Coordinates of all heavy atoms in Angstrom, one line a residue:
I892 N -52.2 -73.9 197.0 CA -51.8 -75.1 197.8 C -52.4 -76.3 197.1 O -53.5 -76.4 196.8 CB -52.3 -75.2 199.2 CG1 -51.9 -74.0 200.1 CG2 -51.9 -76.4 200.0 CD1 -52.6 -73.8 201.3
D893 N -51.4 -77.1 196.5 CA -51.8 -78.2 195.6 C -50.8 -79.4 195.7 O -49.6 -79.2 196.1 CB -51.6 -77.7 194.1 CG -52.4 -78.5 193.1 OD1 -52.7 -79.7 193.4 OD2 -52.6 -78.0 192.0
G899 N -56.4 -85.4 194.2 CA -56.4 -84.4 195.3 C -55.9 -84.8 196.7 O -55.0 -85.7 196.7
F900 N -56.2 -84.2 197.7 CA -55.7 -84.5 199.1 C -56.7 -84.3 200.1 O -57.6 -83.3 199.9 CB -54.5 -83.7 199.3 CG -54.7 -82.2 199.3 CD1 -54.9 -81.4 200.4 CD2 -54.5 -81.5 198.0 CE1 -55.1 -80.2 200.3 CE2 -54.6 -80.1 197.9 CZ -54.9 -79.4 199.1
Y903 N -58.5 -80.6 203.5 CA -58.4 -79.3 203.1 C -59.4 -78.4 203.9 O -59.0 -77.1 204.2 CB -58.9 -79.3 201.6 CG -60.3 -79.7 201.4 CD1 -61.4 -78.8 201.4 CD2 -60.6 -81.1 201.2 CE1 -62.7 -79.2 201.2 CE2 -61.9 -81.5 201.0 CZ -62.9 -80.6 201.1 OH -64.1 -81.1 200.9
I907 N -58.1 -75.0 206.1 CA -58.6 -73.7 205.9 C -59.1 -73.0 207.2 O -58.8 -71.8 207.5 CB -59.8 -73.7 204.9 CG1 -59.2 -74.1 203.4 CG2 -60.6 -72.4 204.8 CD1 -60.3 -74.2 202.4
T922 N -60.5 -70.8 199.7 CA -61.4 -71.7 199.2 C -60.8 -72.9 198.6 O -59.6 -72.8 198.2 CB -62.4 -71.0 198.2 OG1 -63.5 -71.9 197.8 CG2 -61.6 -70.7 196.9
S923 N -61.5 -74.1 198.6 CA -61.1 -75.3 198.0 C -61.6 -75.3 196.6 O -62.8 -74.9 196.2 CB -61.4 -76.5 198.9 OG -62.8 -76.4 199.1
V924 N -60.9 -76.1 195.7 CA -61.2 -76.3 194.3 C -61.0 -77.8 194.0 O -60.0 -78.3 194.5 CB -60.4 -75.5 193.4 CG1 -60.6 -75.7 192.0 CG2 -60.6 -74.0 193.7
V925 N -61.8 -78.4 193.2 CA -61.7 -79.6 192.5 C -61.6 -79.5 191.1 O -62.4 -78.8 190.5 CB -63.0 -80.6 193.0 CG1 -62.7 -81.9 192.2 CG2 -62.9 -80.8 194.4
Y926 N -60.5 -80.1 190.5 CA -60.5 -80.2 189.1 C -60.2 -81.6 188.5 O -59.4 -82.4 189.2 CB -59.4 -79.2 188.6 CG -58.0 -79.4 189.0 CD1 -57.2 -80.3 188.4 CD2 -57.5 -78.7 190.1 CE1 -55.9 -80.6 188.8 CE2 -56.2 -78.9 190.5 CZ -55.4 -79.8 189.9 OH -54.2 -80.0 190.3
V944 N -62.9 -79.8 184.0 CA -64.0 -79.6 184.8 C -63.5 -79.1 186.1 O -62.6 -79.8 186.8 CB -64.9 -80.8 185.0 CG1 -66.1 -80.5 185.9 CG2 -65.4 -81.3 183.7
V945 N -63.8 -77.9 186.6 CA -63.3 -77.3 187.9 C -64.5 -77.1 188.8 O -65.6 -76.4 188.4 CB -62.8 -75.8 187.5 CG1 -62.2 -75.2 188.9 CG2 -61.7 -76.0 186.4
G946 N -64.5 -77.7 190.0 CA -65.5 -77.4 191.0 C -65.2 -76.4 191.8 O -64.1 -76.4 192.5
V947 N -66.0 -75.3 191.9 CA -65.8 -74.2 192.8 C -67.0 -73.8 193.7 O -68.1 -74.1 193.3 CB -65.4 -73.0 192.0 CG1 -64.2 -73.3 191.1 CG2 -66.6 -72.6 190.9
D948 N -66.8 -73.2 194.7 CA -67.7 -72.5 195.6 C -67.8 -71.1 194.9 O -66.9 -70.2 195.4 CB -67.4 -72.5 197.0 CG -68.5 -71.9 197.9 OD1 -69.4 -71.2 197.4 OD2 -68.3 -72.0 199.1
Y952 N -65.0 -68.3 195.5 CA -64.0 -68.3 194.4 C -63.9 -66.9 193.8 O -62.7 -66.5 193.4 CB -64.5 -69.3 193.4 CG -63.5 -69.6 192.3 CD1 -62.3 -70.3 192.6 CD2 -63.7 -69.2 191.0 CE1 -61.5 -70.6 191.6 CE2 -62.8 -69.5 190.0 CZ -61.7 -70.2 190.3 OH -60.8 -70.5 189.4
V955 N -61.5 -64.8 196.0 CA -60.0 -65.0 196.1 C -59.3 -64.6 194.8 O -58.1 -64.6 194.7 CB -59.7 -66.5 196.5 CG1 -60.2 -66.9 197.8 CG2 -60.2 -67.5 195.3
N956 N -60.1 -64.5 193.6 CA -59.5 -63.9 192.4 C -60.4 -63.1 191.6 O -61.5 -62.7 192.3 CB -59.1 -65.2 191.7 CG -60.2 -66.1 191.4 OD1 -61.4 -65.7 191.2 ND2 -60.0 -67.4 191.3
Y1116 N -66.9 -74.7 184.7 CA -67.0 -74.5 186.2 C -68.3 -75.0 186.7 O -69.4 -74.5 186.1 CB -66.7 -73.0 186.6 CG -65.5 -72.5 186.0 CD1 -65.3 -72.0 184.8 CD2 -64.3 -72.5 186.9 CE1 -64.2 -71.5 184.4 CE2 -63.0 -72.0 186.4 CZ -63.1 -71.5 185.2 OH -61.9 -71.0 184.6
F1119 N -68.8 -76.9 193.5 CA -67.7 -77.8 194.2 C -68.3 -79.0 194.7 O -67.7 -80.1 194.4 CB -67.0 -76.9 195.3 CG -66.1 -77.6 196.1 CD1 -64.7 -77.8 195.7 CD2 -66.4 -78.4 197.2 CE1 -63.9 -78.5 196.4 CE2 -65.6 -79.0 198.0 CZ -64.3 -79.0 197.5
V1122 N -69.2 -81.7 192.0 CA -68.1 -82.2 191.3 C -67.4 -83.2 192.2 O -67.0 -84.2 191.8 CB -67.1 -81.1 190.8 CG1 -65.9 -81.8 190.1 CG2 -67.8 -80.2 189.8
Q1123 N -67.3 -82.7 193.4 CA -66.7 -83.7 194.4 C -67.4 -85.0 194.6 O -66.8 -86.0 194.6 CB -66.6 -82.9 195.8 CG -65.8 -83.7 196.8 CD -65.8 -82.8 198.1 OE1 -66.8 -82.5 198.5 NE2 -64.6 -82.6 198.6
M1128 N -64.9 -87.9 195.3 CA -64.0 -87.3 196.3 C -64.6 -86.8 197.6 O -64.0 -86.2 198.4 CB -63.2 -86.1 195.6 CG -62.5 -86.6 194.4 SD -61.7 -85.2 193.4 CE -60.4 -84.6 194.6
R1142 N -61.8 -85.0 199.7 CA -60.6 -84.5 199.0 C -60.9 -83.4 198.2 O -62.0 -83.2 197.6 CB -59.9 -85.7 198.2 CG -59.3 -86.8 199.0 CD -59.0 -88.0 198.2 NE -60.2 -88.7 197.7 CZ -60.3 -89.2 196.4 NH1 -59.3 -88.9 195.5 NH2 -61.3 -90.0 196.1
A1143 N -59.9 -82.5 198.0 CA -60.0 -81.4 197.1 C -58.7 -81.3 196.4 O -57.6 -82.0 196.9 CB -60.2 -80.0 197.9
S1144 N -58.6 -80.6 195.2 CA -57.4 -80.7 194.3 C -56.6 -79.4 194.8 O -55.3 -79.5 194.6 CB -57.9 -80.5 192.9 OG -58.7 -81.5 192.5
Q1145 N -57.2 -78.3 195.2 CA -56.3 -77.2 195.5 C -57.1 -76.4 196.7 O -58.2 -76.5 196.8 CB -56.3 -76.1 194.3 CG -55.3 -76.5 193.2 CD -55.4 -75.5 192.1 OE1 -56.3 -74.6 192.0 NE2 -54.4 -75.6 191.2
I1146 N -56.3 -75.6 197.3 CA -56.7 -74.5 198.2 C -56.1 -73.2 197.6 O -55.0 -73.1 197.5 CB -56.3 -74.8 199.6 CG1 -56.8 -76.0 200.3 CG2 -56.6 -73.6 200.5 CD1 -56.3 -76.5 201.6
L1147 N -57.0 -72.3 197.4 CA -56.6 -71.0 196.9 C -56.7 -70.0 198.1 O -57.8 -69.9 198.7 CB -57.4 -70.5 195.8 CG -57.4 -71.4 194.5 CD1 -58.4 -70.9 193.4 CD2 -56.1 -71.7 194.0

Side-chain angles (χ1 to χ4, degrees):
I892 304 172
D893 196 343
F900 59 92
Y903 62 90
I907 289 176
T922 188
S923 51
V924 174
V925 172
Y926 61 80
V944 181
V945 185
V947 299
D948 182 350
Y952 189 67
V955 301
N956 56 33
Y1116 304 85
F1119 174 85
V1122 177
Q1123 191 180 50
M1128 295 176 71
R1142 289 171 283 138
S1144 304
Q1145 282 181 345
I1146 298 175
L1147 303 180

